[in-house]
Amino acid sequence: MNLESLYQEIILDHYKHPRGQGLLDSPLGSAHHVNPTCGDELTVQVGVGSAGGLVVGYEGQGCSISQASASVMSELVSGHSVQDAETFRLAFIEMMHAKGTGEPDEEVLGDAVAFAGVAKFPARIKCALLGWMALQDAEIQSGLLTNQSEEHSP
Amino acid sequence: MSLDVVRIKKDFPLLSRTVRDGKELVYLDSGATSQKPYQVLDAERAFYETSYAAVHRGAHALAEEATIHYEDARSAIAGFIGAAPSNIVFTKNATEALNLCAYAFSNATSLSRQGAGSRSIDPRFILKPSDSIVISEMEHHANLVPWQELCAKTGATLRWFSLDDEGRLDLSNMDTLIDSTTKVVSIVHQSNILGTVNPVRAIMDRAHEVGAVGIVDGCQSVPHMPVDIASVGADLLMWSGHKMLGPTGIGCLYGTSEILDAMPPFLTGGSMIEMVSIETSTFAPAPQKFEAGTPMVAQAVGLAAGVRYLEEIGMDEVAEHEAALTDHTLSVLTAIPGVRIIGPSTTFERGSTISFVVDGLHPHDVGQVLDNLGVAVRVGHHCAWPTCRRFGVPATTRISPYIYNDESDIDRAAAGIIAAQEFFGVAP
Ligand SMILES: Cc1ncc(COP(=O)(O)O)c(C=O)c1O
């Protein structure tokens, strides 16, 4: 087990240079999630852009995994439909529960496949999921997503 | 350093294992829970193999033997803090002991509202909305949340001592904070996050001046320093067995005879009664009054073996060893640029739980790099979230050594911190 398998270059890069950070002027929905075991916090907001795709804002403090994951998440879903965002989210959750086995779909997940190694560190899975869970809540808040998903955080 | 750490380490089988692809384990998380020596494991196993049965019931030979083992364990554990066996109640852990205390107040309050019938309720435990409960800003959630809940149920007000920048209690307003409205003062002896050792005697004395019940959370003091209950001056003091070489599933609550008699029970049912009819019951005297159901007998036997192990070393020697390790830890940590200690910066009235933050690095990431090198530390808010808020940090990394650690362990942690700074490119 080496550190590099957890902290991929892409993750460190997003941690140091977060993309799309900041809150929205007039969000349709907003969710504040905390990781009660370590105190990491994240607010995720959603809105709809002029072209009809999702607009995502976020702000928080926490470890490299939670903050980089929020950055990658915002980049991945921004401009996409709520339906696409669900596909990304479910694929990400599946990757987190794969215990490091199986091949994550880079076509779907893009940069987010860098988090595959996190699945081998059970204590960090929650960190990686924080942004995605907050996204789902913000979407439900906004009415863009109905609360019928049977997926739950671990 | 006076302890023979090499010899002590050999008593702890787990400490010889490796982690993360063959790395030698350095265990520096004893503030969360300690490892167990053979002496404790063997005592528990021997009890199950030779004398196990239900205690305090049944008249057969095994039941008698098991009861003797259980009560001998109580005596040994009581003696460890200079108490009499009848003043020690076994609970699941310190958290349960603190809830037992808080529930004494809420049970007394609701019983008095109902009109307690023939039962006499000690007015010290009945809370009114004009009453106050005093804690501090450095409490573990176990000594905070039960009091918040008690306030919510009774309307009483929660007050707290605030902290100075060194992580010590600000006692300047003690006489107004603890006043005639105060019914409970509950303070940690040694902070699990800051390491601060509090002047609990003076605080307990002030509590008694106003007629309040004085409680001390001894979770981080009893395992690490000589604690003589008479000099602490608390009415109630609790700690967990698992942090002092004992098994999980057993905590201890000390109470003065007078207080234990006056407190209504927490859990009720079998083993804690005197007489039961279909309408009503009376309760056994303490400690049985607080030990409902089948107790944790084997755990008590194991913990007593842990107590004997520590007594053989000597608690003065344990404290001296930890003071030397704390001194070493503070100096190697402060020598690393970018590392800041959260808590007192010297060993003066300070124990060996040592929290710190590293500029530009989140504690989770520091802990991950240390873990990768085989060094186990705690990261997070250490169940003391308000304390983290006070110091403006979301979390800390904590080193907490014990009798089986030496300076080389601390040095490996320090090397790990530097490695983390390098890995993340944040070395100043
Ligand atoms: C100061 C303090 N109080 C209370 C507790 C709670 O102990 P337990 O979790 O064993 O009930 C702890 C341990 O985590 C502690 O360090």
Side-chain angles (χ1 to χ4, degrees), chain B residues 31-32 93-95 98 140 142 188 190 192 217 219-220 240 242-243:
Chain B
N93 50 31
T95 303
L98 278 154
H140 187 282
V188 69
Q190 182 195 307
N192 70 307
D217 173 353
C219 277
Q220 298 292 342
S240 280
H242 67 88
K243 293 182 201 282

Side-chain angles (χ1 to χ4, degrees), chain B residues 31-32 92-96 98 138-143 188-193 217-220 239-243 250 378 382-383 398:
Chain B
K92 180 175 72 171
N93 50 31
T95 303
E96 185 183 288
L98 278 154
M138 65 166 84
E139 299 309 323
H140 187 282
H141 296 167
N143 194 26
V188 69
H189 198 174
Q190 182 195 307
S191 161
N192 70 307
I193 176 165
D217 173 353
C219 277
Q220 298 292 342
W239 74 96
S240 280
H242 67 88
K243 293 182 201 282
I250 185 160
R378 176 88 185 265
H382 315 285
C383 299
R398 183 185 72 182

Side-chain angles (χ1 to χ4, degrees), chain A residues 1 7 36 40 62 64 121 124, chain B residues 21 362 365 368 372 381 424:
Chain A
M1 194 100 49
Y7 295 116
D40 286 2
S64 57
F121 297 84
R124 304 306 291 272
Chain B
D21 298 334
H362 189 278
D365 295 318
Q368 195 81 56
N372 194 54
H381 51 58
F424 284 93

